Amino acid sequence: PFVGSEIKLNGDLAEWKDIPSQIMRPYIEGGKRDGLKVADTQYMKVAWNNAGFYFAFDFQDVDGDIRRVKSANFWEGDGTEIFIDALNVKDKLRGAQAIQQFWFWVDGEGSNPANIGGEAIVDKATKRHAYVPYTAAKMQRASKIINANHWAMECFIPFELIKNLDLQP
């Protein structure tokens, strides 16, 4: 839904009570991995205003271990990944013209907590990967660690980061 005003990012999801939840189910590329624990279902909420997209997550962390990692292996840390297909081309490769992959960590990058997330960039022609960390100056995130098995996070991706975005009613 469209929210006319800015959502205050503070890790408290009370402001999201009237926004419907979306169900997320795990997708593990390459098949099942021994020792990997994931929840069967997690929930998220999405909203937008004239400046960008907001996301809210209320995660159950089944392994009870909030992991902090580096950008080069961001997917191994606790956080979330957000894929945006700005032109609805349904191309699964991040190097496509309108496909982007962002990530947010619940507790920052392992070696630099000021890095709150980033963008995974793939050059489609060369297949080279780049994992670019971002601070709060680029995109915003607020999280609240409730306990080792539960954390909440709010994120904001400004429209200016999204390539080829065609906003129309």
Side-chain angles (χ1 to χ4, degrees):
F2 178 80
V3 290
S5 60
E6 182 178 311
I7 293 176
K8 182 178 179 185
L9 301 182
N10 56 14
D12 180 358
L13 304 184
E15 195 173 354
W16 292 81
K17 68 180 176 15
D18 295 328
I19 296 174
S21 292
Q22 306 295 317
I23 296 172
M24 296 188 312
R25 299 207 195 297
Y27 170 77
I28 301 170
E29 198 168 291
K32 188 166 177 72
R33 296 190 182 134
D34 291 337
L36 179 64
K37 296 179 185 179
V38 296
D40 292 333
T41 303
Q42 299 280 14
Y43 297 92
M44 69 173 283
K45 296 183 177 200
V46 180
W48 66 284
N49 66 11
N50 289 326
F53 291 113
Y54 291 91
F55 301 88
F57 304 92
D58 189 15
F59 280 123
Q60 298 303 313
D61 191 335
V62 296
D63 68 2
D65 178 27
I66 295 175
R67 297 187 65 214
R68 293 173 70 196
V69 297
K70 295 182 184 234
S71 296
N73 61 330
F74 69 87
W75 56 89
E76 293 178 0
D78 280 298
T80 190
E81 296 175 54
I82 298 169
F83 291 81
I84 296 179
D85 181 353
L87 298 176
N88 197 28
V89 295
K90 297 183 178 32
D91 190 333
K92 294 184 185 209
L93 297 174
R94 292 177 304 258
Q97 180 181 7
I99 307 297
Q100 287 178 271
Q101 177 186 12
F102 297 95
W103 79 85
F104 292 89
W105 289 300
V106 66
D107 201 24
E109 183 176 25
S111 60
N112 185 355
N115 291 334
I116 61 166
E119 183 176 359
I121 300 169
V122 179
D123 183 311
K124 200 168 187 173
T126 65
K127 306 270 194 258
R128 293 184 61 120
H129 293 71
Y131 306 111
V132 182
Y134 292 155
T135 65
K138 195 92 164 175
M139 56 188 193
Q140 289 81 51
R141 184 262 302 141
S143 59
K144 181 188 228 179
I145 299 170
I146 298 155
N147 60 48
N149 295 90
H150 185 195
W151 45 272
M153 184 166 59
E154 297 172 288
C155 310
F156 176 73
I157 300 175
F159 287 146
E160 65 236 17
L161 288 181
I162 302 172
K163 299 175 198 156
N164 297 308
L165 187 61
D166 185 14
L167 292 175
Q168 296 181 37

